[in-house]
Amino acid sequence: MPEPTPVDIRVRELRKTFRVPEREAGLRASIRSLVRRSYRDVDAVAGVSFDIEAGDVVGFLGPNGAGKTTTLKMLSGLLHPTGGEISVLGHVPARREHDYLRRMTLVMGNRNQLQWDIPALDSFEMNRAIYRIPEADFRRIRDEIVELLEIGELVRKPVRTLSLGERMKAEIAAALLHRPQVLYLDEPTIGLDVTMQKRIRSFLADYNQRYGATVLLTSHYMADVQALCKRVIIIDSGSILYDGALRDLSTRYSPHQTINVVLAEPADLSAYGEVLDSVDGRITLKVAKADTSAVAARLLAAFGVSDLTIEDPPIEDVIEQVFAGSAPNDPTRAADRVAR
Amino acid sequence: MTGKLGGLPGLYSVVMRTAVQTQFQYRTANYAYLLGMIAEPVIYLVVWQTVAGSQGGAVEGITAGQFAAYYIVWTLVRNMNIVFTPYGWEDRIRNGLLSGMLVRPVHPIHYDLAFFAGWKFVAIVLWLPIAAVLVLIFRPTFDVNALEVGVFLIAIWGAYLLRSLLLWALGMVTFWTTRVSALYELYFTAELLLSGRLLPLALLPGWAATVSDVLPFKYTFGYPIEVLAGDLSTTELFIGLGLQAVWIGAGVLLVALVWRVGVRRYSAVGN
């Protein structure tokens, strides 16, 4: 029997409640609040449980205010949970033991690790001292990361002169010099252009493979998630809506696929599925997933087909459906409609 | 083997070098800062020399030359006791920089102590020509022996450490509320009067001198200045050093306590 993969992150019934002051707008309410303040309890995280195995890359998704960053802050030890338990690499993060902090990293925004006025290389040197990285190891890891991220030139310039994307790459490099086992990445590609996003994605994938690091990543860019994460946890209003394989997400929440077909002669295909688009002879049909193969076969048999492709719906649409709280549609009903 | 220097000494060495590099990038700004800072003691000095001149050459036994010595040493001590101010705390918490520091395996006070210690070396290099000019203009009277120089060199670093701890503790009030400028101003006003910054402590009225004796302020300004520019006996030199050490010990305890409670609050309410 194969050895079970060790669990790096274990979270049970995690809760975080913030007490937020609130008052009506206007002078009268302002004066009243001097005497009597009213507060409201906000459950930012409301009983979340999951395990992440060593070496996994998990996407942590949700709309703004869903509780993603609060959870990451609790995992990294920045916030004390209101309730529940967390264990990461055998440590309780809220205790912020140095042994734990040396084994993890948190990348949040792009002004954490680097000193503004000096080149990133000098900040790297500071991290060497903070994390007590042996000199030889430090040079090797630093050179490796600098090469992988292709930042050889820019780490010699004062950080304040770098662009947003360049700074983000240098931040990530600084955050990984001590070769952490657990990475919490909060929107690591936010605000970056497509090329820069791709570079960071491939770097993170490479880092994960090379060192077997465990990664929990939040991102609003589905391209990040699709490139890096086999598993996603979707959270909204502090509760988990979905925790499972990314590939199962569309099966569960979107029972449709699209068939793009280019016909030799124009034809009406509305009997085969819902026609979403028809431009220059290219027709897009929405078809129940269970019937995709059969419909494709019928199209090929009935028409002169120059091209035919089958696609899953965009992951953004699927996730939107998860957030919309829509129950998974019944695929048989959808199939009925196509056959009608 | 952990690099050239391991642990905290390694960190101090790197951060101090970083501070030197950073500050040398801003030579002009640093000079402007130093010149602005020099204006304060020069005003006090001119006032007291004028008063001394009108009273037959001395005020309470302090001559014009001794006033000059006092305020010229003042400029060096002031350079030494510039530390991370409470205003920096507001920025640190508001911009989330503190969060970045909290997830690192070292207490953030070490960055500040090391960074401002490194900054001193730049400030002293820039201060030397200014001090030379002040000496030429105001003609100070110095009567210094080797012991006093030795005690002074320890006392100015003690002053730096003590003021860092006090202002760090004060800055941490930001964990509870970010509108604390009034509290800071109160501290700086008390310090101005009771530390020897505004005037030599010998000139304080009796009640103020008593208050000054039981507070830590004078070990950040007046005591180190008087070690070099005053007329302290050997016993007074060492008692001063001992009391400065006691206040540093109290400062360490205060910072540790406030930090512990403050971080717990910070991590409870978030940022």
Side-chain angles (χ1 to χ4, degrees):
Chain A
M1 226 173 94
E3 286 275 307
T5 314
V7 171
D8 268 0
I9 301 175
R10 184 183 295 276
V11 175
R12 291 289 175 273
E13 286 302 315
L14 184 64
R15 287 189 299 109
K16 181 72 195 176
T17 305
F18 292 113
R19 202 156 180 246
V20 191
E22 63 175 11
R23 65 169 177 83
E24 298 296 319
L27 184 62
R28 183 178 295 185
S30 169
I31 293 168
R32 202 165 41 229
S33 77
L34 280 176
V35 187
R36 192 174 168 183
R37 287 203 168 186
S38 61
Y39 292 89
R40 186 167 57 95
D41 284 343
V42 176
D43 293 325
V45 176
V48 158
S49 301
F50 57 84
D51 287 343
I52 298 180
E53 292 177 351
D56 273 2
V57 183
V58 176
F60 202 42
L61 312 178
N64 293 331
K68 307 182 298 287
T69 304
T70 303
T71 305
L72 286 195
K73 282 183 172 177
M74 286 193 278
L75 287 168
S76 62
L78 275 179
L79 281 178
H80 269 76
T82 310
E85 286 172 21
I86 311 177
S87 165
V88 185
L89 300 169
H91 294 271
V92 175
R95 290 185 193 148
R96 292 192 308 106
E97 292 152 334
H98 286 185
D99 190 37
Y100 171 57
L101 300 179
R102 270 191 208 102
R103 295 168 75 194
M104 69 91 175
T105 202
L106 169 70
V107 177
M108 201 161 50
N110 62 3
R111 261 194 84 177
N112 277 334
Q113 302 272 342
L114 304 172
Q115 297 281 316
W116 199 241
D117 292 314
I118 54 174
L121 271 183
D122 290 322
S123 289
F124 293 173
E125 194 65 34
M126 207 182 295
N127 276 19
R128 178 187 68 73
I130 290 169
Y131 290 98
R132 304 183 183 189
I133 310 166
E135 186 78 30
D137 288 356
F138 168 73
R139 287 182 189 284
R140 189 171 43 76
I141 299 165
R142 179 195 64 191
D143 294 346
E144 201 174 277
I145 293 177
V146 164
E147 193 190 325
L148 278 170
L149 278 169
E150 299 179 28
I151 52 176
E153 287 300 312
L154 62 93
V155 291
R156 289 177 174 76
K157 299 181 196 168
V159 170
R160 65 170 189 276
T161 66
L162 303 181
S163 72
L164 178 73
E166 290 173 335
R167 215 156 59 219
M168 195 68 210
K169 287 205 288 185
E171 275 286 342
I172 289 176
L176 299 181
L177 285 170
H178 60 289
R179 209 189 282 168
Q181 273 172 271
V182 173
L183 278 61
Y184 304 115
L185 308 173
D186 195 15
E187 303 282 358
T189 59
I190 196 162
L192 307 187
D193 64 44
V194 178
T195 318
M196 204 72 89
Q197 286 179 25
K198 276 176 97 170
R199 177 90 28 91
I200 286 179
R201 255 175 240 141
S202 70
F203 169 75
L204 291 173
D206 194 81
Y207 183 90
N208 164 256
Q209 292 218 317
R210 232 179 242 216
Y211 303 117
T214 306
V215 183
L216 187 56
L217 160 106
T218 78
S219 181
H220 283 108
Y221 298 122
M222 285 309 123
D224 286 351
V225 178
Q226 283 174 303
L228 293 168
C229 312
K230 288 197 179 78
R231 174 182 164 198
V232 291
I233 297 174
I234 300 179
I235 180 171
D236 193 14
S237 304
S239 301
I240 291 179
L241 299 180
Y242 176 85
D243 179 357
L246 178 65
R247 65 167 186 275
D248 294 343
L249 194 62
S250 65
T251 314
R252 191 162 153 196
Y253 284 90
S254 177
H256 297 101
Q257 284 181 308
T258 53
I259 299 179
N260 292 301
V261 61
V262 180
L263 301 179
E265 299 288 333
D268 177 13
L269 299 187
S270 54
Y272 294 85
E274 185 184 342
V275 178
L276 298 177
D277 202 7
S278 177
V279 180
D280 298 336
R282 176 176 287 274
I283 301 162
T284 306
L285 286 177
K286 183 177 171 187
V287 178
K289 202 170 271 178
D291 294 330
T292 313
S293 316
V295 172
R298 283 166 55 205
L299 286 169
L300 289 167
F303 302 98
V305 174
S306 321
D307 188 26
L308 187 145
T309 53
I310 299 171
E311 287 173 5
D312 275 323
I315 193 76
E316 287 89 342
D317 294 356
V318 179
I319 287 174
E320 206 172 294
Q321 232 174 327
V322 180
F323 292 149
S326 57
N329 294 332
D330 180 357
T332 49
R333 263 180 44 209
D336 286 345
R337 197 171 67 234
V338 173
R340 192 171 57 226
Chain B
M1 174 73 191
T2 54
K4 290 170 203 154
L5 273 172
L8 280 181
L11 177 67
Y12 272 76
S13 156
V14 173
V15 177
M16 284 170 76
R17 268 185 285 142
T18 304
V20 171
Q21 289 169 40
T22 307
Q23 295 308 320
F24 270 126
Q25 280 189 48
Y26 296 110
R27 281 185 307 271
T28 315
N30 269 313
Y31 252 117
Y33 183 75
L34 276 178
L35 287 170
M37 195 191 77
I38 297 300
E40 183 186 341
V42 167
I43 291 167
Y44 303 151
L45 176 53
V46 169
V47 169
W48 284 114
Q49 283 196 332
T50 308
V51 175
S54 70
Q55 293 192 0
V59 181
E60 300 279 331
I62 304 173
T63 64
Q66 285 169 328
F67 273 119
Y70 187 91
Y71 285 109
I72 290 171
V73 176
W74 186 108
T75 58
L76 177 58
V77 171
R78 177 72 187 112
N79 267 331
M80 288 304 298
N81 69 26
I82 287 175
V83 299
F84 185 75
T85 68
Y87 297 105
W89 274 93
E90 292 186 18
D91 184 49
R92 220 169 235 187
I93 289 187
R94 204 179 306 121
N95 293 331
L97 296 173
L98 185 69
S99 296
M101 291 174 146
L102 283 173
V103 292
R104 291 168 160 205
V106 65
H107 196 299
I109 197 170
H110 293 300
Y111 303 106
D112 294 337
L113 287 176
F115 190 88
F116 281 87
W119 186 85
K120 307 294 172 214
F121 292 101
V122 180
I124 288 170
V125 168
L126 300 177
W127 167 82
L128 284 169
I130 296 175
V133 172
L134 291 176
V135 167
L136 285 173
I137 297 172
F138 293 103
R139 311 255 166 210
T141 316
F142 278 110
D143 179 16
V144 181
N145 61 41
L147 177 65
E148 285 169 344
V149 172
V151 171
F152 177 73
L153 290 177
I154 299 169
I156 52 175
W157 284 103
Y160 167 60
L161 190 54
L162 177 56
R163 196 161 187 266
S164 291
L165 291 165
L166 294 176
L167 288 181
W168 233 73
L170 188 65
M172 281 191 281
V173 175
T174 319
F175 279 130
W176 285 269
T177 170
T178 48
R179 297 285 184 88
V180 277
S181 301
L183 189 63
Y184 301 161
E185 291 304 326
L186 183 67
Y187 175 98
F188 291 126
T189 307
E191 182 190 63
L192 182 68
L193 182 68
L194 300 170
S195 69
R197 177 173 178 163
L198 182 65
L199 74 174
L201 292 170
L203 300 180
L204 284 179
W207 66 268
T210 310
V211 174
S212 167
D213 279 341
V214 296
L215 291 173
F217 300 123
K218 76 174 191 182
Y219 298 97
T220 66
F221 261 105
Y223 165 67
I225 296 173
E226 280 175 21
V227 167
L228 210 59
D231 192 21
L232 299 182
S233 67
T234 305
T235 313
E236 285 170 324
L237 287 179
F238 285 110
I239 287 177
L241 218 46
L243 287 172
Q244 191 184 50
V246 168
W247 277 114
I248 290 170
V252 169
L253 290 177
L254 180 68
V255 165
L257 181 71
V258 181
W259 174 253
R260 206 178 166 143
V261 183
V263 166
R264 199 173 298 158
R265 182 185 156 81
Y266 180 76
S267 61
V269 299
N271 171 36

